[in-house]
Amino acid sequence: MQDKFVGDVGDYGKYGLLRTLGGIEPLAKPRYRLGVVWYLRPEVKLHYLRKPEFHRYDEDLCGVLLDIVDGQTRTVREVERRREILGEDAVFFTEHVPNRSKRHEWLCRALEETRDAKIVLIDPDNGLYPCEMEEKERLSTKHAYLNEVRPFVQRGQTVVVYQSYRRRKGDTPETEVDSWRYERLADFDLDEHPRVVGTGDRAFVVLPATRHVEHIDGRLARFVERWGKHFKHREL
């Protein structure tokens, strides 16, 4: 995640999905506390917010993001400050992600910061890396590694992972999504099948905790019913 992406159309959909899963918009019980691990990277006119067609999905969220963009405060810190986006009780882990030996310590702090969240967003630039993290190697700051996501799943949290499509030759979004099940998630020993909500160039892989699955599935269906022009839903 980078500050320069705040308020873009993918950001709108991401927060809309989290607000629906968390029971914020539309209001639903039980409310699930949200946690966000940004995988924030140092920094190396969005017109869609002014289009009426986008306001019908989540008018309050669209208004807040438009205010952020117009106010030239496009940072993840501003998203954290605007508690109306992801809820008063949302927790955020905002340390820049390291690319070498301190990555494990960084992950431990992320786990500690989000320990009370029911749903955790893992938000790297590019998504899941198809292998385990080895600290002796130079690590990608644009990816989350399998053994970084697994602890959140194992302690009973519902996990949402941002994933961009790699667009390998011959791949379609559908065949690439299928490959995640075998290349990246096969050894997670999941009790529930992953759910995927996707667009033409990005997806969110939802790994529902068993104790949340009934509510998560209902809220995913509600999200797709409302946002379905831009997001498709399937199980892996």
Side-chain angles (χ1 to χ4, degrees), residues 141-176:
T141 59
K142 292 186 176 184
H143 293 86
Y145 288 82
L146 298 180
N147 48 347
E148 293 179 323
V149 175
R150 191 179 292 107
F152 296 94
V153 174
Q154 289 177 336
R155 69 181 182 182
Q157 292 170 308
T158 290
V159 178
V160 180
V161 185
Y162 171 80
Q163 183 72 50
S164 63
Y165 293 118
R166 290 175 290 172
R167 301 185 184 278
R168 297 180 302 189
K169 186 175 181 180
D171 263 354
T172 66
E174 289 74 22
T175 59
E176 185 169 334

Side-chain angles (χ1 to χ4, degrees), residues 20-213:
T20 303
L21 293 179
I24 298 171
E25 174 57 38
L27 188 64
K29 293 184 178 179
R31 265 275 286 111
Y32 289 143
R33 187 180 190 185
L34 297 168
V36 177
V37 180
W38 290 119
Y39 276 67
L40 185 66
R41 301 178 64 229
E43 275 301 325
V44 269
K45 291 287 190 184
L46 299 176
H47 300 294
Y48 84 91
L49 288 167
R50 304 185 193 281
K51 294 181 179 178
E53 65 178 283
F54 281 92
H55 283 253
R56 71 172 181 263
Y57 304 126
D58 191 330
E59 186 169 5
D60 290 342
L61 174 59
C62 202
V64 174
L65 292 179
L66 184 58
D67 190 47
I68 289 173
V69 170
D70 284 348
Q72 299 183 344
T73 54
R74 293 180 64 193
T75 67
V76 296
R77 289 289 190 189
E78 184 66 10
V79 173
E80 294 176 16
R81 190 180 73 80
R82 301 288 189 115
R83 288 291 173 170
E84 65 270 40
I85 295 179
L86 295 180
E88 289 289 339
D89 59 351
V91 291
F92 301 87
F93 181 68
T94 319
E95 289 184 30
H96 287 154
V97 57
N99 62 9
R100 289 196 183 276
S101 60
K102 294 183 179 179
R103 184 76 163 246
H104 179 71
E105 289 81 0
W106 174 89
L107 176 64
C108 288
R109 291 192 294 274
L111 284 161
E112 176 63 20
E113 193 69 27
T114 58
R115 67 188 181 281
D116 295 326
K118 297 292 190 293
I119 299 173
V120 177
L121 170 70
I122 305 293
D123 196 23
D125 274 1
N126 290 354
L128 277 175
Y129 203 82
C131 71
E132 304 283 321
M133 174 181 70
E134 296 289 344
E135 289 193 23
K136 63 186 178 182
E137 300 175 353
R138 181 177 176 85
L139 303 172
S140 171
T141 59
K142 292 186 176 184
H143 293 86
Y145 288 82
L146 298 180
N147 48 347
E148 293 179 323
V149 175
R150 191 179 292 107
F152 296 94
V153 174
Q154 289 177 336
R155 69 181 182 182
Q157 292 170 308
T158 290
V159 178
V160 180
V161 185
Y162 171 80
Q163 183 72 50
S164 63
Y165 293 118
R166 290 175 290 172
R167 301 185 184 278
R168 297 180 302 189
K169 186 175 181 180
D171 263 354
T172 66
E174 289 74 22
T175 59
E176 185 169 334
V177 164
D178 286 336
S179 76
W180 298 339
R181 174 68 176 166
Y182 302 103
E183 292 180 11
R184 307 178 190 209
L185 302 174
D187 66 343
F188 268 41
D189 195 25
L190 297 169
D191 293 326
E192 305 292 339
H193 288 294
R195 281 67 164 161
V196 176
V197 179
T199 66
D201 58 1
R202 60 176 64 87
F204 299 95
V205 181
V206 181
L207 308 174
T210 299
R211 60 188 173 137
H212 301 155
V213 69

